[in-house]
Amino acid sequence: MDPAAARRLFGGLPVVACATIDPDGSPHVVPLWFVWLEDAIYVSTRTGSRTWRNAGADPRVGLTVDLGRAWTEIAGVSIHGRAERLLAQDPAMRRPISAWHEKYRPLLAGEGFERFAEQIPGLAFLRVPPARIAPWDHARD
């Protein structure tokens, strides 16, 4: 699937499943917020989290974004790549963090952003340029 088409179809969804590799080799998968820009997918996490630590030790990650409820509606993409860890205040994060704030502004309305900032003091991102994008669509054979 063309990366631009995948981004248009799935980039607006709220959550990506992010898989990293634990030190013992087992997978660690968590739902996280993300923005998908032209150059990469930026997945938000916390500094010190298991996802952050795993990506520091082994940058290989898998991401899955999907939509639909019924079996015949479910479609999505699986993305593989190598994560680069970036702090929210890194100069390279200006555009991605602006896009992230714009995307999640409705979910952080009112006191939401203040509560988020208190509970997530170490906001960070995994920058994942897609090395491979594999789509699926259960509505098709």
Side-chain angles (χ1 to χ4, degrees), residues 24-139:
D24 68 359
S26 62
H28 171 68
V29 183
V30 292
L32 296 169
W33 286 358
F34 74 106
V35 291
W36 192 341
L37 302 181
E38 294 82 9
D39 66 320
I41 299 163
Y42 294 81
V43 181
S44 58
T45 188
R46 303 174 195 208
T47 57
S49 71
R50 193 162 151 192
T51 298
W52 179 258
R53 289 190 315 268
N54 285 353
D58 186 335
R60 294 176 297 166
V61 298
L63 306 172
T64 301
V65 186
D66 59 68
L67 53 80
R69 290 182 178 254
W71 170 255
T72 57
E73 299 172 342
I74 298 173
V77 290
S78 177
I79 301 139
H80 292 171
R82 297 180 76 79
E84 173 188 1
R85 299 186 316 166
L86 296 167
L87 299 175
Q89 60 270 27
D90 188 299
M93 285 301 302
R94 284 191 181 137
R95 184 167 176 255
I97 199 108
S98 292
W100 185 88
H101 277 288
E102 187 64 30
K103 180 177 182 179
Y104 294 104
R105 185 180 320 277
L107 298 178
L108 296 172
E111 296 177 3
F113 186 77
E114 184 178 329
R115 290 185 59 215
F116 179 86
E118 288 172 0
Q119 294 178 14
I120 314 289
L123 181 62
F125 288 82
L126 301 180
R127 178 184 179 274
V128 182
R132 184 177 67 181
I133 299 174
W136 75 87
D137 185 345
H138 290 301

